[in-house]
């Protein structure tokens, strides 16, 4: 029998080569592989507490009881864990996020990585890291990568067994400055935007063809220790992903005026010699990949030149971990 309770902590990750589009919605199999950096700023701490007397799972997020879709996603995920563990008890799930929820800062990545680890612990499922990554993937695709610290590649695979993330060694000294333009919930979830883009954007097939090349080139740049090449691919890849969304019907436009301001500023700072490259996810906020040695100068320039933005200054973060009681 398991202890019946477990607490896990996981960190957000930001993709340098994006995951955009599922080929199997139920198993969360992506169309293409992706590469990400787990950050050391912001974290999700989740406790799963089995409650044999309860008829339903209860979910509390940042002190408020979850209902509707957020509750359903967690309960469905726990069903998967229960099925694998051969258990039936319901659970109390308590989550505290220090990343703004729903603002394109990948709180679903840290959220489902922490939930997968805590639920596996509470229900007594013995999983190695690869199986944990596969399990986290079922909650949210990007969560497969937050199981690992630093750089992680998520192999697209072709079925449940072959689609998992694993760490990628690097001594590149990567940093990231997250420019939080808004911490508000986005209007269109990444799940909905992704599906709409796959279904309606004439640019999607071009993305699906190009992305494996971007991933191979990015991994080659990491192996060669070529930060400028990795950065160039990162910025290009994000713009290509957003181009597919602009072609969707109706279009998905996550950018705000501030997004463009930061994008142009980063390009100008680069012309001035800073090692800095922008990337954007399913929201208006901009994340700027940089070298650790230029991180302070980058943060200063962003603080001076972007009105009203909050900055999160990050480096490579650790793998998801269980907290010992
Ligand atoms: O795993 P999801 O459903 O949160 O989708 C993540 C999609 C992007 O953040 C836009 C890209 C990525 O690879 O993280």
């Amino acid at each position: 029998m398991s202890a019946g309770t477990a607490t896990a902590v996981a960190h957000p990750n930001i993709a340098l080569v994006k995951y955009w589009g599922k080929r199997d919605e139920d198993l969360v199999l992506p169309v293409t592989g992706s590469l990400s950096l787990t950050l050391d700023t912001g974290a999700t701490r989740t406790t799963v507490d089995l409650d044999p007397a309860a008829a339903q799972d209860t979910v509390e997020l940042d002190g408020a009881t979850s209902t509707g879709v957020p509750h359903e996603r967690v309960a469905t995920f726990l069903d998967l864990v229960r099925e694998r563990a051969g258990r039936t008890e319901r659970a109390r799930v308590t989550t505290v996020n220090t990343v703004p929820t729903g603002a394109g800062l990948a709180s679903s990545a840290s959220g489902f990585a922490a939930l997968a680890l805590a639920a596996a612990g509470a229900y007594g499922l013995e999983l190695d890291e690869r199986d944990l990554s596969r399990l986290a993937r079922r909650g949210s695709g990007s969560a497969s990568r937050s199981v690992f610290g630093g750089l992680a590649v998520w192999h697209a695979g072709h079925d449940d067994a072959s689609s998992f993330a694993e760490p990628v060694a690097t001594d590149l000294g990567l940093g990231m400055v997250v420019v939080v333009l808004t911490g508000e919930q986005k209007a269109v979830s990444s799940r909905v935007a992704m599906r709409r883009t796959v279904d309606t954007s004439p640019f999607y097939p071009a993305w699906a063809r190009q992305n494996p090349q971007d991933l191979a080139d990015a991994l080659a740049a990491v192996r060669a220790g070529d930060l400028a090449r990795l950065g160039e691919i990162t910025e290009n890849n994000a713009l290509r992903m957003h181009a597919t969304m602009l072609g969707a019907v109706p279009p998905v436009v996550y950018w705000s005026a501030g997004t463009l301001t930061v994008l142009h500023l980063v390009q100008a700072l680069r012309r001035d010699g800073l090692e800095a490259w922008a990337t954007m996810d399913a929201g208006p906020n901009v994340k700027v990949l940089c070298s650790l040695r230029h991180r302070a100068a980058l943060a200063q320039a962003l603080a001076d030149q972007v009105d009203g933005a909050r900055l999160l200054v990050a480096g490579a973060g650790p793998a998801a971990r269980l907290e010992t009681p």
Side-chain angles (χ1 to χ4, degrees), residues 15 18-20 108 140-142 145 190 194 241 281-282:
K18 307 294 184 186
Y19 145 56
W20 194 245
S108 69
S140 185
S142 55
R145 302 181 309 229
S190 58
M194 214 180 266
M241 176 180 74
D281 294 289

Side-chain angles (χ1 to χ4, degrees), residues 41 98-101 103 105 177-184 262 285-286 299 302-303 306-313:
T41 183
T98 56
V99 238
T101 302
L105 287 177
V177 179
V178 181
V179 186
V180 184
L181 297 161
T182 169
E184 281 167 26
V262 178
N285 299 324
V286 184
L302 290 164
V306 186
D307 283 344
R310 193 159 67 85
L311 301 181
L312 304 175
V313 178

Side-chain angles (χ1 to χ4, degrees), residues 78-87:
L78 291 177
D79 285 342
L80 198 66
V81 177
R82 283 189 279 261
E83 192 188 304
R84 290 192 189 178
R87 306 279 292 256

Side-chain angles (χ1 to χ4, degrees), residues 131-153:
D131 288 340
L132 185 65
S133 173
R134 290 172 48 232
L135 176 63
R137 188 196 81 225
R138 300 290 294 274
S140 185
S142 55
S144 65
R145 302 181 309 229
S146 269
V147 166
F148 303 100
L151 288 177
V153 59

